[in-house]
Amino acid sequence: MEENSRIPVHVSIIMDGNGRWAKERGQERFYGHIEGVESVRACTEEAVKKGVRYLSLFAFSEENWDRPQAEVSSLMELMVKAMVNELPAFLENGIRFIVLGNRARLDDRLNAEIDDCMQRTADCRNLSLVIFLSYSGRWDILQAAKRLAAEAAENPSGLQDIMAMSTDDFCRYMSTADIPDPDLIIRTSGELRLSNYLLWQGAYSELYFTDTLWPDFRAAEFDAALEEYAKRDRRYGKVK
C-alpha cells in the first residue's frame, strides 16, 4: 500500500460461487461462469476508477483440472472468448493483461491467445489485470524451489549465496516476481479459506470475506471491500 493512502496498490479476488449462483436459478453451472465475466468487467472498471494499480483474479486452480472434462473445456473456451472480446477495452482503458500459472497444462490455442493479449497490452499502464490460471500456491513455491535448485546445479560454487538468501531474494523465483504482494485478498460466496492461493505472497495481506456470490459481486461490493480495507491497521508484526 502506498504511504498515506487508503487505496490498496494490489487487490486480489478469489472468485467463488458461480455454480451455486446458477443452481439457485435452475441453470447449469456454466451459466454462472458466463455471468461471472460481467463481474470481472465491473470490478476491473471500478479498480481503474479507484486508482488500484494491480487487480488479480483467481480464475482456475491446479485442483480445478479434476472437475468434469466438459466443464473444464467450456471454461477454457470461455476464457478464449473473453480475451478476444475484452482486448479492445483493455487497449482503450490502458489495462495490461497478464496470465500466471502452470501454462504447460493449457492447450496451444489458449496459450496463443494469452500471448497475443499480453503482448498487445504490454505497454498499458493504468492497471495491471493479472489472471491466475492453472495456479496453486504450493505449485508456485515448488516451481520457485526447482528453479533455484537448477541454478545451483549449474553453479555449485554459488551454494553459499543460496544459503544466505533472504525471503526477498527468494521472491525473485516466484511467478509473481514482478508484481507486488496483494494488500487485500477478497473471497466471495461465504467460504473462509484461501484454497491454496498466493500462500507465499498473501502472508500479510488483509483478508475480506463476503457471502455475495461472484456473479453478484459488482462495483458496489468492490467498493465495500475497499472501505473495509481502509479501516484496517496494518502492522506487519510490528508495534505502532
mmCIF file with all atom_site columns, all heavy atoms in Angstrom, residues 1-3 5 8-10 181-184 201-206 229 232-240:
data_model
loop_
_atom_site.group_PDB
_atom_site.id
_atom_site.type_symbol
_atom_site.label_atom_id
_atom_site.label_alt_id
_atom_site.label_comp_id
_atom_site.label_asym_id
_atom_site.label_entity_id
_atom_site.label_seq_id
_atom_site.pdbx_PDB_ins_code
_atom_site.Cartn_x
_atom_site.Cartn_y
_atom_site.Cartn_z
_atom_site.occupancy
_atom_site.B_iso_or_equiv
_atom_site.pdbx_formal_charge
_atom_site.auth_seq_id
_atom_site.auth_comp_id
_atom_site.auth_asym_id
_atom_site.auth_atom_id
_atom_site.pdbx_PDB_model_num
ATOM 1   N N   . MET A 1 1   ? 0.844   -1.197  0.000  1.00 0.00 ? 1   MET A N   1
ATOM 2   C CA  . MET A 1 1   ? 0.000   0.000   0.000  1.00 0.00 ? 1   MET A CA  1
ATOM 3   C C   . MET A 1 1   ? 0.879   1.246   0.000  1.00 0.00 ? 1   MET A C   1
ATOM 4   O O   . MET A 1 1   ? 1.873   1.320   0.717  1.00 0.00 ? 1   MET A O   1
ATOM 5   C CB  . MET A 1 1   ? -0.894  0.001   1.238  1.00 0.00 ? 1   MET A CB  1
ATOM 6   C CG  . MET A 1 1   ? -1.881  1.158   1.308  1.00 0.00 ? 1   MET A CG  1
ATOM 7   S SD  . MET A 1 1   ? -2.945  0.995   2.757  1.00 0.00 ? 1   MET A SD  1
ATOM 8   C CE  . MET A 1 1   ? -3.860  2.510   2.617  1.00 0.00 ? 1   MET A CE  1
ATOM 9   N N   . GLU A 1 2   ? 0.544   2.255   -0.794 1.00 0.00 ? 2   GLU A N   1
ATOM 10  C CA  . GLU A 1 2   ? 1.321   3.460   -0.877 1.00 0.00 ? 2   GLU A CA  1
ATOM 11  C C   . GLU A 1 2   ? 1.193   4.248   0.427  1.00 0.00 ? 2   GLU A C   1
ATOM 12  O O   . GLU A 1 2   ? 0.168   4.230   1.108  1.00 0.00 ? 2   GLU A O   1
ATOM 13  C CB  . GLU A 1 2   ? 0.841   4.307   -2.058 1.00 0.00 ? 2   GLU A CB  1
ATOM 14  C CG  . GLU A 1 2   ? 1.090   3.619   -3.405 1.00 0.00 ? 2   GLU A CG  1
ATOM 15  C CD  . GLU A 1 2   ? 0.475   4.400   -4.546 1.00 0.00 ? 2   GLU A CD  1
ATOM 16  O OE1 . GLU A 1 2   ? -0.351  5.287   -4.273 1.00 0.00 ? 2   GLU A OE1 1
ATOM 17  O OE2 . GLU A 1 2   ? 0.850   4.127   -5.702 1.00 0.00 ? 2   GLU A OE2 1
ATOM 18  N N   . GLU A 1 3   ? 2.277   4.963   0.768  1.00 0.00 ? 3   GLU A N   1
ATOM 19  C CA  . GLU A 1 3   ? 2.295   5.729   2.002  1.00 0.00 ? 3   GLU A CA  1
ATOM 20  C C   . GLU A 1 3   ? 1.135   6.730   2.038  1.00 0.00 ? 3   GLU A C   1
ATOM 21  O O   . GLU A 1 3   ? 0.834   7.411   1.071  1.00 0.00 ? 3   GLU A O   1
ATOM 22  C CB  . GLU A 1 3   ? 3.646   6.468   2.114  1.00 0.00 ? 3   GLU A CB  1
ATOM 23  C CG  . GLU A 1 3   ? 3.876   7.133   3.461  1.00 0.00 ? 3   GLU A CG  1
ATOM 24  C CD  . GLU A 1 3   ? 4.091   6.130   4.572  1.00 0.00 ? 3   GLU A CD  1
ATOM 25  O OE1 . GLU A 1 3   ? 4.383   4.978   4.277  1.00 0.00 ? 3   GLU A OE1 1
ATOM 26  O OE2 . GLU A 1 3   ? 3.952   6.516   5.740  1.00 0.00 ? 3   GLU A OE2 1
ATOM 27  N N   . SER A 1 5   ? -1.930  6.405   1.939  1.00 0.00 ? 5   SER A N   1
ATOM 28  C CA  . SER A 1 5   ? -3.034  6.150   1.024  1.00 0.00 ? 5   SER A CA  1
ATOM 29  C C   . SER A 1 5   ? -3.929  5.065   1.596  1.00 0.00 ? 5   SER A C   1
ATOM 30  O O   . SER A 1 5   ? -3.461  4.114   2.202  1.00 0.00 ? 5   SER A O   1
ATOM 31  C CB  . SER A 1 5   ? -2.506  5.710   -0.342 1.00 0.00 ? 5   SER A CB  1
ATOM 32  O OG  . SER A 1 5   ? -3.575  5.307   -1.167 1.00 0.00 ? 5   SER A OG  1
ATOM 33  N N   . PRO A 1 8   ? -5.619  0.339   -1.719 1.00 0.00 ? 8   PRO A N   1
ATOM 34  C CA  . PRO A 1 8   ? -4.589  -0.688  -1.878 1.00 0.00 ? 8   PRO A CA  1
ATOM 35  C C   . PRO A 1 8   ? -3.962  -0.639  -3.267 1.00 0.00 ? 8   PRO A C   1
ATOM 36  O O   . PRO A 1 8   ? -4.641  -0.354  -4.249 1.00 0.00 ? 8   PRO A O   1
ATOM 37  C CB  . PRO A 1 8   ? -5.356  -1.999  -1.659 1.00 0.00 ? 8   PRO A CB  1
ATOM 38  C CG  . PRO A 1 8   ? -6.790  -1.661  -1.952 1.00 0.00 ? 8   PRO A CG  1
ATOM 39  C CD  . PRO A 1 8   ? -6.965  -0.228  -1.557 1.00 0.00 ? 8   PRO A CD  1
ATOM 40  N N   . VAL A 1 9   ? -2.686  -0.902  -3.320 1.00 0.00 ? 9   VAL A N   1
ATOM 41  C CA  . VAL A 1 9   ? -1.996  -0.980  -4.614 1.00 0.00 ? 9   VAL A CA  1
ATOM 42  C C   . VAL A 1 9   ? -2.462  -2.214  -5.372 1.00 0.00 ? 9   VAL A C   1
ATOM 43  O O   . VAL A 1 9   ? -2.731  -2.164  -6.573 1.00 0.00 ? 9   VAL A O   1
ATOM 44  C CB  . VAL A 1 9   ? -0.463  -1.018  -4.414 1.00 0.00 ? 9   VAL A CB  1
ATOM 45  C CG1 . VAL A 1 9   ? 0.249   -1.300  -5.737 1.00 0.00 ? 9   VAL A CG1 1
ATOM 46  C CG2 . VAL A 1 9   ? 0.026   0.290   -3.811 1.00 0.00 ? 9   VAL A CG2 1
ATOM 47  N N   . HIS A 1 10  ? -2.596  -3.322  -4.665 1.00 0.00 ? 10  HIS A N   1
ATOM 48  C CA  . HIS A 1 10  ? -2.925  -4.606  -5.298 1.00 0.00 ? 10  HIS A CA  1
ATOM 49  C C   . HIS A 1 10  ? -4.106  -5.250  -4.576 1.00 0.00 ? 10  HIS A C   1
ATOM 50  O O   . HIS A 1 10  ? -4.033  -5.557  -3.382 1.00 0.00 ? 10  HIS A O   1
ATOM 51  C CB  . HIS A 1 10  ? -1.695  -5.519  -5.255 1.00 0.00 ? 10  HIS A CB  1
ATOM 52  C CG  . HIS A 1 10  ? -1.902  -6.861  -5.895 1.00 0.00 ? 10  HIS A CG  1
ATOM 53  N ND1 . HIS A 1 10  ? -0.904  -7.812  -5.946 1.00 0.00 ? 10  HIS A ND1 1
ATOM 54  C CD2 . HIS A 1 10  ? -2.975  -7.428  -6.517 1.00 0.00 ? 10  HIS A CD2 1
ATOM 55  C CE1 . HIS A 1 10  ? -1.364  -8.893  -6.559 1.00 0.00 ? 10  HIS A CE1 1
ATOM 56  N NE2 . HIS A 1 10  ? -2.625  -8.682  -6.899 1.00 0.00 ? 10  HIS A NE2 1
ATOM 57  N N   . ASP A 1 181 ? 3.072   -7.892  -3.700 1.00 0.00 ? 181 ASP A N   1
ATOM 58  C CA  . ASP A 1 181 ? 2.176   -8.767  -2.950 1.00 0.00 ? 181 ASP A CA  1
ATOM 59  C C   . ASP A 1 181 ? 0.813   -8.085  -2.772 1.00 0.00 ? 181 ASP A C   1
ATOM 60  O O   . ASP A 1 181 ? 0.741   -6.863  -2.669 1.00 0.00 ? 181 ASP A O   1
ATOM 61  C CB  . ASP A 1 181 ? 2.762   -9.091  -1.575 1.00 0.00 ? 181 ASP A CB  1
ATOM 62  C CG  . ASP A 1 181 ? 3.991   -9.974  -1.658 1.00 0.00 ? 181 ASP A CG  1
ATOM 63  O OD1 . ASP A 1 181 ? 4.216   -10.592 -2.722 1.00 0.00 ? 181 ASP A OD1 1
ATOM 64  O OD2 . ASP A 1 181 ? 4.746   -10.029 -0.653 1.00 0.00 ? 181 ASP A OD2 1
ATOM 65  N N   . PRO A 1 182 ? -0.255  -8.856  -2.725 1.00 0.00 ? 182 PRO A N   1
ATOM 66  C CA  . PRO A 1 182 ? -1.586  -8.242  -2.575 1.00 0.00 ? 182 PRO A CA  1
ATOM 67  C C   . PRO A 1 182 ? -1.758  -7.589  -1.215 1.00 0.00 ? 182 PRO A C   1
ATOM 68  O O   . PRO A 1 182 ? -1.407  -8.166  -0.185 1.00 0.00 ? 182 PRO A O   1
ATOM 69  C CB  . PRO A 1 182 ? -2.540  -9.429  -2.755 1.00 0.00 ? 182 PRO A CB  1
ATOM 70  C CG  . PRO A 1 182 ? -1.730  -10.631 -2.406 1.00 0.00 ? 182 PRO A CG  1
ATOM 71  C CD  . PRO A 1 182 ? -0.332  -10.325 -2.837 1.00 0.00 ? 182 PRO A CD  1
ATOM 72  N N   . ASP A 1 183 ? -2.275  -6.376  -1.216 1.00 0.00 ? 183 ASP A N   1
ATOM 73  C CA  . ASP A 1 183 ? -2.622  -5.707  0.031  1.00 0.00 ? 183 ASP A CA  1
ATOM 74  C C   . ASP A 1 183 ? -3.916  -6.276  0.589  1.00 0.00 ? 183 ASP A C   1
ATOM 75  O O   . ASP A 1 183 ? -4.090  -6.388  1.799  1.00 0.00 ? 183 ASP A O   1
ATOM 76  C CB  . ASP A 1 183 ? -2.800  -4.209  -0.223 1.00 0.00 ? 183 ASP A CB  1
ATOM 77  C CG  . ASP A 1 183 ? -1.538  -3.560  -0.737 1.00 0.00 ? 183 ASP A CG  1
ATOM 78  O OD1 . ASP A 1 183 ? -0.556  -3.513  0.015  1.00 0.00 ? 183 ASP A OD1 1
ATOM 79  O OD2 . ASP A 1 183 ? -1.533  -3.115  -1.897 1.00 0.00 ? 183 ASP A OD2 1
ATOM 80  N N   . LEU A 1 184 ? -4.816  -6.623  -0.321 1.00 0.00 ? 184 LEU A N   1
ATOM 81  C CA  . LEU A 1 184 ? -6.154  -7.087  0.061  1.00 0.00 ? 184 LEU A CA  1
ATOM 82  C C   . LEU A 1 184 ? -6.532  -8.304  -0.769 1.00 0.00 ? 184 LEU A C   1
ATOM 83  O O   . LEU A 1 184 ? -6.415  -8.281  -1.996 1.00 0.00 ? 184 LEU A O   1
ATOM 84  C CB  . LEU A 1 184 ? -7.171  -5.965  -0.176 1.00 0.00 ? 184 LEU A CB  1
ATOM 85  C CG  . LEU A 1 184 ? -8.657  -6.308  -0.012 1.00 0.00 ? 184 LEU A CG  1
ATOM 86  C CD1 . LEU A 1 184 ? -8.974  -6.677  1.435  1.00 0.00 ? 184 LEU A CD1 1
ATOM 87  C CD2 . LEU A 1 184 ? -9.525  -5.136  -0.478 1.00 0.00 ? 184 LEU A CD2 1
ATOM 88  N N   . GLN A 1 201 ? 2.726   -15.081 -1.117 1.00 0.00 ? 201 GLN A N   1
ATOM 89  C CA  . GLN A 1 201 ? 2.519   -13.655 -1.355 1.00 0.00 ? 201 GLN A CA  1
ATOM 90  C C   . GLN A 1 201 ? 1.479   -13.048 -0.422 1.00 0.00 ? 201 GLN A C   1
ATOM 91  O O   . GLN A 1 201 ? 1.500   -11.846 -0.154 1.00 0.00 ? 201 GLN A O   1
ATOM 92  C CB  . GLN A 1 201 ? 2.095   -13.417 -2.802 1.00 0.00 ? 201 GLN A CB  1
ATOM 93  C CG  . GLN A 1 201 ? 3.123   -13.888 -3.829 1.00 0.00 ? 201 GLN A CG  1
ATOM 94  C CD  . GLN A 1 201 ? 2.943   -15.359 -4.220 1.00 0.00 ? 201 GLN A CD  1
ATOM 95  O OE1 . GLN A 1 201 ? 2.370   -16.146 -3.461 1.00 0.00 ? 201 GLN A OE1 1
ATOM 96  N NE2 . GLN A 1 201 ? 3.425   -15.718 -5.387 1.00 0.00 ? 201 GLN A NE2 1
ATOM 97  N N   . GLY A 1 202 ? 0.570   -13.860 0.071  1.00 0.00 ? 202 GLY A N   1
ATOM 98  C CA  . GLY A 1 202 ? -0.502  -13.361 0.917  1.00 0.00 ? 202 GLY A CA  1
ATOM 99  C C   . GLY A 1 202 ? -0.199  -13.388 2.402  1.00 0.00 ? 202 GLY A C   1
ATOM 100 O O   . GLY A 1 202 ? -1.113  -13.235 3.221  1.00 0.00 ? 202 GLY A O   1
ATOM 101 N N   . ALA A 1 203 ? 1.068   -13.554 2.760  1.00 0.00 ? 203 ALA A N   1
ATOM 102 C CA  . ALA A 1 203 ? 1.442   -13.701 4.173  1.00 0.00 ? 203 ALA A CA  1
ATOM 103 C C   . ALA A 1 203 ? 0.944   -12.552 5.042  1.00 0.00 ? 203 ALA A C   1
ATOM 104 O O   . ALA A 1 203 ? 0.538   -12.753 6.194  1.00 0.00 ? 203 ALA A O   1
ATOM 105 C CB  . ALA A 1 203 ? 2.962   -13.830 4.294  1.00 0.00 ? 203 ALA A CB  1
ATOM 106 N N   . TYR A 1 204 ? 0.952   -11.330 4.503  1.00 0.00 ? 204 TYR A N   1
ATOM 107 C CA  . TYR A 1 204 ? 0.496   -10.170 5.270  1.00 0.00 ? 204 TYR A CA  1
ATOM 108 C C   . TYR A 1 204 ? -0.646  -9.426  4.590  1.00 0.00 ? 204 TYR A C   1
ATOM 109 O O   . TYR A 1 204 ? -0.910  -8.257  4.892  1.00 0.00 ? 204 TYR A O   1
ATOM 110 C CB  . TYR A 1 204 ? 1.662   -9.213  5.553  1.00 0.00 ? 204 TYR A CB  1
ATOM 111 C CG  . TYR A 1 204 ? 2.489   -9.655  6.735  1.00 0.00 ? 204 TYR A CG  1
ATOM 112 C CD1 . TYR A 1 204 ? 3.692   -10.328 6.544  1.00 0.00 ? 204 TYR A CD1 1
ATOM 113 C CD2 . TYR A 1 204 ? 2.041   -9.442  8.028  1.00 0.00 ? 204 TYR A CD2 1
ATOM 114 C CE1 . TYR A 1 204 ? 4.443   -10.756 7.619  1.00 0.00 ? 204 TYR A CE1 1
ATOM 115 C CE2 . TYR A 1 204 ? 2.779   -9.874  9.117  1.00 0.00 ? 204 TYR A CE2 1
ATOM 116 C CZ  . TYR A 1 204 ? 3.985   -10.530 8.905  1.00 0.00 ? 204 TYR A CZ  1
ATOM 117 O OH  . TYR A 1 204 ? 4.721   -10.963 9.986  1.00 0.00 ? 204 TYR A OH  1
ATOM 118 N N   . SER A 1 205 ? -1.335  -10.104 3.715  1.00 0.00 ? 205 SER A N   1
ATOM 119 C CA  . SER A 1 205 ? -2.496  -9.482  3.070  1.00 0.00 ? 205 SER A CA  1
ATOM 120 C C   . SER A 1 205 ? -3.646  -9.365  4.056  1.00 0.00 ? 205 SER A C   1
ATOM 121 O O   . SER A 1 205 ? -3.828  -10.224 4.930  1.00 0.00 ? 205 SER A O   1
ATOM 122 C CB  . SER A 1 205 ? -2.956  -10.332 1.873  1.00 0.00 ? 205 SER A CB  1
ATOM 123 O OG  . SER A 1 205 ? -1.936  -10.473 0.922  1.00 0.00 ? 205 SER A OG  1
ATOM 124 N N   . GLU A 1 206 ? -4.432  -8.308  3.900  1.00 0.00 ? 206 GLU A N   1
ATOM 125 C CA  . GLU A 1 206 ? -5.683  -8.209  4.636  1.00 0.00 ? 206 GLU A CA  1
ATOM 126 C C   . GLU A 1 206 ? -6.703  -9.095  3.928  1.00 0.00 ? 206 GLU A C   1
ATOM 127 O O   . GLU A 1 206 ? -6.773  -9.124  2.697  1.00 0.00 ? 206 GLU A O   1
ATOM 128 C CB  . GLU A 1 206 ? -6.177  -6.761  4.662  1.00 0.00 ? 206 GLU A CB  1
ATOM 129 C CG  . GLU A 1 206 ? -5.279  -5.814  5.431  1.00 0.00 ? 206 GLU A CG  1
ATOM 130 C CD  . GLU A 1 206 ? -5.184  -6.168  6.905  1.00 0.00 ? 206 GLU A CD  1
ATOM 131 O OE1 . GLU A 1 206 ? -6.239  -6.478  7.500  1.00 0.00 ? 206 GLU A OE1 1
ATOM 132 O OE2 . GLU A 1 206 ? -4.065  -6.130  7.459  1.00 0.00 ? 206 GLU A OE2 1
ATOM 133 N N   . TYR A 1 229 ? -11.165 -2.246  3.975  1.00 0.00 ? 229 TYR A N   1
ATOM 134 C CA  . TYR A 1 229 ? -9.699  -2.252  3.980  1.00 0.00 ? 229 TYR A CA  1
ATOM 135 C C   . TYR A 1 229 ? -9.157  -0.955  4.563  1.00 0.00 ? 229 TYR A C   1
ATOM 136 O O   . TYR A 1 229 ? -8.170  -0.965  5.320  1.00 0.00 ? 229 TYR A O   1
ATOM 137 C CB  . TYR A 1 229 ? -9.180  -2.429  2.554  1.00 0.00 ? 229 TYR A CB  1
ATOM 138 C CG  . TYR A 1 229 ? -7.687  -2.281  2.429  1.00 0.00 ? 229 TYR A CG  1
ATOM 139 C CD1 . TYR A 1 229 ? -6.838  -3.352  2.697  1.00 0.00 ? 229 TYR A CD1 1
ATOM 140 C CD2 . TYR A 1 229 ? -7.123  -1.071  2.052  1.00 0.00 ? 229 TYR A CD2 1
ATOM 141 C CE1 . TYR A 1 229 ? -5.468  -3.215  2.595  1.00 0.00 ? 229 TYR A CE1 1
ATOM 142 C CE2 . TYR A 1 229 ? -5.755  -0.917  1.946  1.00 0.00 ? 229 TYR A CE2 1
ATOM 143 C CZ  . TYR A 1 229 ? -4.927  -1.994  2.218  1.00 0.00 ? 229 TYR A CZ  1
ATOM 144 O OH  . TYR A 1 229 ? -3.566  -1.842  2.116  1.00 0.00 ? 229 TYR A OH  1
ATOM 145 N N   . ARG A 1 232 ? -8.539  -0.924  8.250  1.00 0.00 ? 232 ARG A N   1
ATOM 146 C CA  . ARG A 1 232 ? -7.577  -1.843  8.840  1.00 0.00 ? 232 ARG A CA  1
ATOM 147 C C   . ARG A 1 232 ? -6.293  -1.124  9.249  1.00 0.00 ? 232 ARG A C   1
ATOM 148 O O   . ARG A 1 232 ? -5.858  -0.168  8.601  1.00 0.00 ? 232 ARG A O   1
ATOM 149 C CB  . ARG A 1 232 ? -7.247  -2.968  7.853  1.00 0.00 ? 232 ARG A CB  1
ATOM 150 C CG  . ARG A 1 232 ? -8.465  -3.736  7.311  1.00 0.00 ? 232 ARG A CG  1
ATOM 151 C CD  . ARG A 1 232 ? -9.013  -4.729  8.301  1.00 0.00 ? 232 ARG A CD  1
ATOM 152 N NE  . ARG A 1 232 ? -10.178 -5.437  7.756  1.00 0.00 ? 232 ARG A NE  1
ATOM 153 C CZ  . ARG A 1 232 ? -10.117 -6.592  7.091  1.00 0.00 ? 232 ARG A CZ  1
ATOM 154 N NH1 . ARG A 1 232 ? -8.941  -7.164  6.865  1.00 0.00 ? 232 ARG A NH1 1
ATOM 155 N NH2 . ARG A 1 232 ? -11.231 -7.168  6.645  1.00 0.00 ? 232 ARG A NH2 1
ATOM 156 N N   . ASP A 1 233 ? -5.672  -1.631  10.303 1.00 0.00 ? 233 ASP A N   1
ATOM 157 C CA  . ASP A 1 233 ? -4.384  -1.113  10.787 1.00 0.00 ? 233 ASP A CA  1
ATOM 158 C C   . ASP A 1 233 ? -3.328  -2.159  10.489 1.00 0.00 ? 233 ASP A C   1
ATOM 159 O O   . ASP A 1 233 ? -3.221  -3.162  11.187 1.00 0.00 ? 233 ASP A O   1
ATOM 160 C CB  . ASP A 1 233 ? -4.474  -0.827  12.289 1.00 0.00 ? 233 ASP A CB  1
ATOM 161 C CG  . ASP A 1 233 ? -3.169  -0.245  12.834 1.00 0.00 ? 233 ASP A CG  1
ATOM 162 O OD1 . ASP A 1 233 ? -2.340  0.212   12.038 1.00 0.00 ? 233 ASP A OD1 1
ATOM 163 O OD2 . ASP A 1 233 ? -3.000  -0.267  14.069 1.00 0.00 ? 233 ASP A OD2 1
ATOM 164 N N   . ARG A 1 234 ? -2.556  -1.931  9.436  1.00 0.00 ? 234 ARG A N   1
ATOM 165 C CA  . ARG A 1 234 ? -1.572  -2.925  9.005  1.00 0.00 ? 234 ARG A CA  1
ATOM 166 C C   . ARG A 1 234 ? -0.251  -2.695  9.734  1.00 0.00 ? 234 ARG A C   1
ATOM 167 O O   . ARG A 1 234 ? 0.452   -1.718  9.507  1.00 0.00 ? 234 ARG A O   1
ATOM 168 C CB  . ARG A 1 234 ? -1.379  -2.838  7.483  1.00 0.00 ? 234 ARG A CB  1
ATOM 169 C CG  . ARG A 1 234 ? -2.690  -2.964  6.710  1.00 0.00 ? 234 ARG A CG  1
ATOM 170 C CD  . ARG A 1 234 ? -2.450  -3.030  5.230  1.00 0.00 ? 234 ARG A CD  1
ATOM 171 N NE  . ARG A 1 234 ? -1.910  -4.321  4.853  1.00 0.00 ? 234 ARG A NE  1
ATOM 172 C CZ  . ARG A 1 234 ? -1.299  -4.550  3.680  1.00 0.00 ? 234 ARG A CZ  1
ATOM 173 N NH1 . ARG A 1 234 ? -1.141  -3.570  2.816  1.00 0.00 ? 234 ARG A NH1 1
ATOM 174 N NH2 . ARG A 1 234 ? -0.852  -5.761  3.390  1.00 0.00 ? 234 ARG A NH2 1
ATOM 175 N N   . ARG A 1 235 ? 0.136   -3.663  10.559 1.00 0.00 ? 235 ARG A N   1
ATOM 176 C CA  . ARG A 1 235 ? 1.334   -3.508  11.408 1.00 0.00 ? 235 ARG A CA  1
ATOM 177 C C   . ARG A 1 235 ? 2.475   -4.417  10.972 1.00 0.00 ? 235 ARG A C   1
ATOM 178 O O   . ARG A 1 235 ? 3.595   -4.257  11.434 1.00 0.00 ? 235 ARG A O   1
ATOM 179 C CB  . ARG A 1 235 ? 0.978   -3.787  12.870 1.00 0.00 ? 235 ARG A CB  1
ATOM 180 C CG  . ARG A 1 235 ? -0.015  -2.786  13.444 1.00 0.00 ? 235 ARG A CG  1
ATOM 181 C CD  . ARG A 1 235 ? -0.232  -2.996  14.931 1.00 0.00 ? 235 ARG A CD  1
ATOM 182 N NE  . ARG A 1 235 ? -0.801  -4.317  15.213 1.00 0.00 ? 235 ARG A NE  1
ATOM 183 C CZ  . ARG A 1 235 ? -2.105  -4.589  15.160 1.00 0.00 ? 235 ARG A CZ  1
ATOM 184 N NH1 . ARG A 1 235 ? -2.963  -3.644  14.817 1.00 0.00 ? 235 ARG A NH1 1
ATOM 185 N NH2 . ARG A 1 235 ? -2.561  -5.783  15.449 1.00 0.00 ? 235 ARG A NH2 1
ATOM 186 N N   . TYR A 1 236 ? 2.200   -5.419  10.159 1.00 0.00 ? 236 TYR A N   1
ATOM 187 C CA  . TYR A 1 236 ? 3.249   -6.335  9.686  1.00 0.00 ? 236 TYR A CA  1
ATOM 188 C C   . TYR A 1 236 ? 4.060   -6.938  10.852 1.00 0.00 ? 236 TYR A C   1
ATOM 189 O O   . TYR A 1 236 ? 5.269   -7.097  10.777 1.00 0.00 ? 236 TYR A O   1
ATOM 190 C CB  . TYR A 1 236 ? 4.200   -5.621  8.722  1.00 0.00 ? 236 TYR A CB  1
ATOM 191 C CG  . TYR A 1 236 ? 3.512   -5.079  7.495  1.00 0.00 ? 236 TYR A CG  1
ATOM 192 C CD1 . TYR A 1 236 ? 3.115   -3.749  7.428  1.00 0.00 ? 236 TYR A CD1 1
ATOM 193 C CD2 . TYR A 1 236 ? 3.258   -5.902  6.404  1.00 0.00 ? 236 TYR A CD2 1
ATOM 194 C CE1 . TYR A 1 236 ? 2.474   -3.255  6.304  1.00 0.00 ? 236 TYR A CE1 1
ATOM 195 C CE2 . TYR A 1 236 ? 2.614   -5.414  5.267  1.00 0.00 ? 236 TYR A CE2 1
ATOM 196 C CZ  . TYR A 1 236 ? 2.222   -4.102  5.223  1.00 0.00 ? 236 TYR A CZ  1
ATOM 197 O OH  . TYR A 1 236 ? 1.593   -3.613  4.115  1.00 0.00 ? 236 TYR A OH  1
ATOM 198 N N   . GLY A 1 237 ? 3.373   -7.264  11.927 1.00 0.00 ? 237 GLY A N   1
ATOM 199 C CA  . GLY A 1 237 ? 4.040   -7.877  13.067 1.00 0.00 ? 237 GLY A CA  1
ATOM 200 C C   . GLY A 1 237 ? 4.751   -6.896  13.992 1.00 0.00 ? 237 GLY A C   1
ATOM 201 O O   . GLY A 1 237 ? 5.335   -7.299  15.004 1.00 0.00 ? 237 GLY A O   1
ATOM 202 N N   . LYS A 1 238 ? 4.689   -5.610  13.655 1.00 0.00 ? 238 LYS A N   1
ATOM 203 C CA  . LYS A 1 238 ? 5.369   -4.600  14.456 1.00 0.00 ? 238 LYS A CA  1
ATOM 204 C C   . LYS A 1 238 ? 4.381   -3.932  15.411 1.00 0.00 ? 238 LYS A C   1
ATOM 205 O O   . LYS A 1 238 ? 3.165   -4.128  15.323 1.00 0.00 ? 238 LYS A O   1
ATOM 206 C CB  . LYS A 1 238 ? 6.000   -3.550  13.553 1.00 0.00 ? 238 LYS A CB  1
ATOM 207 C CG  . LYS A 1 238 ? 6.995   -4.129  12.553 1.00 0.00 ? 238 LYS A CG  1
ATOM 208 C CD  . LYS A 1 238 ? 7.472   -3.071  11.585 1.00 0.00 ? 238 LYS A CD  1
ATOM 209 C CE  . LYS A 1 238 ? 8.394   -3.678  10.525 1.00 0.00 ? 238 LYS A CE  1
ATOM 210 N NZ  . LYS A 1 238 ? 8.836   -2.659  9.538  1.00 0.00 ? 238 LYS A NZ  1
ATOM 211 N N   . VAL A 1 239 ? 4.905   -3.127  16.311 1.00 0.00 ? 239 VAL A N   1
ATOM 212 C CA  . VAL A 1 239 ? 4.088   -2.379  17.264 1.00 0.00 ? 239 VAL A CA  1
ATOM 213 C C   . VAL A 1 239 ? 4.057   -0.937  16.805 1.00 0.00 ? 239 VAL A C   1
ATOM 214 O O   . VAL A 1 239 ? 5.107   -0.336  16.520 1.00 0.00 ? 239 VAL A O   1
ATOM 215 C CB  . VAL A 1 239 ? 4.651   -2.470  18.697 1.00 0.00 ? 239 VAL A CB  1
ATOM 216 C CG1 . VAL A 1 239 ? 3.826   -1.581  19.632 1.00 0.00 ? 239 VAL A CG1 1
ATOM 217 C CG2 . VAL A 1 239 ? 4.642   -3.915  19.163 1.00 0.00 ? 239 VAL A CG2 1
ATOM 218 N N   . LYS A 1 240 ? 2.863   -0.361  16.745 1.00 0.00 ? 240 LYS A N   1
ATOM 219 C CA  . LYS A 1 240 ? 2.741   1.050   16.379 1.00 0.00 ? 240 LYS A CA  1
ATOM 220 C C   . LYS A 1 240 ? 2.348   1.877   17.593 1.00 0.00 ? 240 LYS A C   1
ATOM 221 O O   . LYS A 1 240 ? 1.639   1.405   18.464 1.00 0.00 ? 240 LYS A O   1
ATOM 222 C CB  . LYS A 1 240 ? 1.692   1.211   15.273 1.00 0.00 ? 240 LYS A CB  1
ATOM 223 C CG  . LYS A 1 240 ? 2.158   0.667   13.933 1.00 0.00 ? 240 LYS A CG  1
ATOM 224 C CD  . LYS A 1 240 ? 1.142   1.014   12.867 1.00 0.00 ? 240 LYS A CD  1
ATOM 225 C CE  . LYS A 1 240 ? 1.599   0.533   11.498 1.00 0.00 ? 240 LYS A CE  1
ATOM 226 N NZ  . LYS A 1 240 ? 0.639   0.854   10.432 1.00 0.00 ? 240 LYS A NZ  1
#
